[in-house]
Amino acid sequence: MPTDPNLEHGRHPERGVADGAIIRAILESQLICHVAFTVDGWPYAVPTVHALDGDHLLIHGSTLSRMLGGLAEGVPACVTVTAVDGIVAARSAFNHSINYRSAMVFGTATPIRDHDHKVSALRAIVEHVLPGRWAEVRPPTVQELRATEIVSIPLGRATAKVRGGGPVDTPADGRRQVWSGVIPVQMLLGTPTHVPDDVAKLPLPDSVASVIESTGQ
Amino acid sequence: MPTDPNLEHGRHPERGVADGAIIRAILESQLICHVAFTVDGWPYAVPTVHALDGDHLLIHGSTLSRMLGGLAEGVPACVTVTAVDGIVAARSAFNHSINYRSAMVFGTATPIRDHDHKVSALRAIVEHVLPGRWAEVRPPTVQELRATEIVSIPLGRATAKVRGGGPVDTPADGRRQVWSGVIPVQMLLGTPTHVPDDVAKLPLPDSVASVIESTGQ
């Protein structure tokens, strides 16, 4: 186990956020995370699905995944979830920016091996992606649970960074008649595709109808 | 310099993509990347803005950023860009998935210090975020260029992984009358906000009008 990770923000410390509620909200706001870990001197950043489980973060994958294998053995990891909220168009090239919310969780993972805990962890993963979906579908078999690896990382060492608001121009640039502003970036869930013929006439289940509705389609 | 990173896909090798054109398209499709690197035994995954520059990937940040400082010194890095394309809702909890395209570039970075190259690199970064914007705004001063660090990583060691298509259910689950399908996920650019009063009556510049149009608003 190395010494503690550096949770300080060297650049733009005013964007730093230590508030656990904000960190949790960022973690919940995005479908996927990126997991950083090191193997043989090379860092890897691998996307996967996560979920909150009380004061832990769950990371999901296959038992056959090398990443999950490494995480289950307790290699140090950094899990980052980033929401892109807007493109900040300033009056100078230099002051262009991105509005974002990013949370990083550092720790070593523990694999979940207890049957009931593993079922509830898989449930948290499915519900993170599509709230309400668990109750609509067939639950996992013992064999499927065996093929699933879910590891748990405590939220104890977490930090976040947030940039919001409008463009920041120099006073001299502020006198330029150049359009500036923020172009909001949102995640949109669209009309379902790839629906098998035999279920195409079924009504959309509540889980799907509500996420499509909540994003305004 | 450690031995080569592992570019093989252990799990779901059928999703692996080595085609450079597909890798480039993934890198271009998203506003941000996550950069993984290791400091004092801890991996970090940090979001930032990137751009393509011929057969190199540019990573942008402040001269004061610790990450850029480390990258400029040549620490091994992995830059990952992930597009989330859909939520795959199967008839069983186990077979739920995400449609995604993810590209990873491994390498050590070289800082761009030549003035003209640095200007063109910053231009590539701005144009990646908002094509056409560079010509609309004030170009960088020498002082601003000095405060900007842009590093370049060759695309030589890159790989991608793609999951597309519909849900894959077991034959037994295929007889269940449970709705299944894919809920497409898209990035939507909305109506601008935070527009300063003095430029609120200017028409939207071409760069902004075209990205909003191209996402269908």
Side-chain angles (χ1 to χ4, degrees):
Chain A
M1 167 80 80
T3 55
D4 275 1
N6 188 342
L7 301 186
E8 301 296 315
H9 298 284
R11 180 64 182 150
H12 287 302
E14 78 285 1
R15 297 181 186 166
V17 173
D19 182 331
I22 294 175
I23 291 172
R24 294 174 68 89
I26 295 170
L27 296 172
E28 282 181 328
S29 72
Q30 300 297 303
L31 289 170
I32 65 154
C33 62
H34 282 81
V35 182
F37 54 96
T38 307
V39 177
D40 295 336
W42 277 100
Y44 291 73
V46 176
T48 191
V49 177
H50 63 283
L52 284 176
D53 179 27
D55 54 1
H56 284 70
L57 187 65
L58 304 174
I59 301 295
H60 168 266
S62 160
T63 311
L64 299 178
S65 144
R66 286 179 306 224
M67 172 172 79
L68 269 292
L71 293 181
E73 285 170 13
V75 303
C78 167
V79 185
T80 302
V81 173
T82 305
V84 175
D85 293 329
I87 297 171
V88 182
R91 304 185 202 199
S92 66
F94 179 74
N95 282 311
H96 276 64
S97 190
I98 301 275
N99 278 345
Y100 68 96
R101 290 164 291 137
S102 185
M104 298 167 80
V105 179
F106 294 89
T108 55
T110 305
I112 295 174
R113 295 280 153 79
D114 170 76
H115 175 271
D116 291 353
H117 192 186
K118 201 162 179 178
V119 171
S120 75
L122 187 58
R123 180 190 168 119
I125 293 283
V126 170
E127 294 280 308
H128 172 81
V129 173
L130 210 45
R133 185 64 176 163
W134 184 264
E136 297 168 354
V137 297
R138 176 178 63 71
T141 63
V142 169
Q143 201 175 11
E144 288 172 341
L145 282 178
R146 216 175 282 140
T148 303
E149 184 80 278
I150 303 182
V151 301
S152 171
I153 300 179
L155 291 177
R157 287 184 287 197
T159 184
K161 210 165 176 180
V162 174
R163 193 222 186 269
V168 177
D169 277 305
T170 66
D173 286 334
R175 289 188 291 272
R176 289 173 191 270
Q177 280 295 296
V178 174
W179 186 93
S180 63
V182 174
I183 304 146
V185 176
Q186 287 171 299
M187 186 179 76
L188 180 80
L189 302 182
T191 306
T193 60
H194 294 87
V195 179
D197 288 344
D198 67 308
V199 296
K201 292 195 174 154
L202 295 182
L204 282 187
D206 289 347
S207 64
V208 177
S210 59
V211 286
I212 293 177
E213 201 171 286
S214 71
T215 57
Q217 279 235 318
Chain B
M1 169 79 80
T3 56
D4 275 0
N6 188 341
L7 300 186
E8 301 295 314
H9 298 285
R11 179 67 181 149
H12 288 301
E14 78 285 1
R15 296 181 187 167
V17 173
D19 182 331
I22 295 175
I23 292 173
R24 294 174 69 88
I26 295 169
L27 295 173
E28 282 180 329
S29 73
Q30 300 297 303
L31 289 170
I32 65 153
C33 63
H34 283 82
V35 182
F37 54 96
T38 308
V39 177
D40 295 336
W42 277 99
Y44 291 73
V46 176
T48 191
V49 177
H50 63 284
L52 283 175
D53 178 26
D55 54 1
H56 284 70
L57 187 66
L58 304 173
I59 299 295
H60 169 266
S62 161
T63 312
L64 300 178
S65 145
R66 286 179 307 224
M67 173 173 80
L68 268 292
L71 293 180
E73 285 170 11
V75 303
C78 168
V79 184
T80 301
V81 172
T82 305
V84 175
D85 293 330
I87 297 171
V88 183
R91 305 184 201 201
S92 66
F94 180 74
N95 283 312
H96 277 64
S97 190
I98 302 275
N99 279 346
Y100 68 95
R101 291 164 292 136
S102 187
M104 299 167 80
V105 179
F106 294 89
T108 56
T110 305
I112 295 175
R113 295 279 153 78
D114 171 76
H115 175 271
D116 290 354
H117 192 186
K118 202 162 179 177
V119 171
S120 75
L122 187 58
R123 180 191 167 118
I125 294 283
V126 170
E127 293 281 309
H128 172 81
V129 174
L130 209 47
R133 186 65 177 161
W134 184 265
E136 297 168 353
V137 297
R138 176 178 64 72
T141 63
V142 169
Q143 200 174 12
E144 287 173 342
L145 283 177
R146 215 175 282 139
T148 303
E149 184 80 278
I150 302 183
V151 300
S152 170
I153 300 178
L155 291 177
R157 288 185 285 198
T159 184
K161 211 165 175 180
V162 175
R163 193 221 187 269
V168 177
D169 277 305
T170 65
D173 286 334
R175 289 189 291 271
R176 289 172 191 269
Q177 281 295 295
V178 174
W179 187 93
S180 63
V182 173
I183 305 147
V185 176
Q186 287 171 298
M187 185 178 77
L188 180 81
L189 302 183
T191 305
T193 60
H194 294 88
V195 180
D197 288 343
D198 67 308
V199 296
K201 292 195 173 152
L202 295 181
L204 282 187
D206 288 348
S207 64
V208 177
S210 59
V211 288
I212 293 177
E213 202 171 284
S214 71
T215 57
Q217 278 233 321

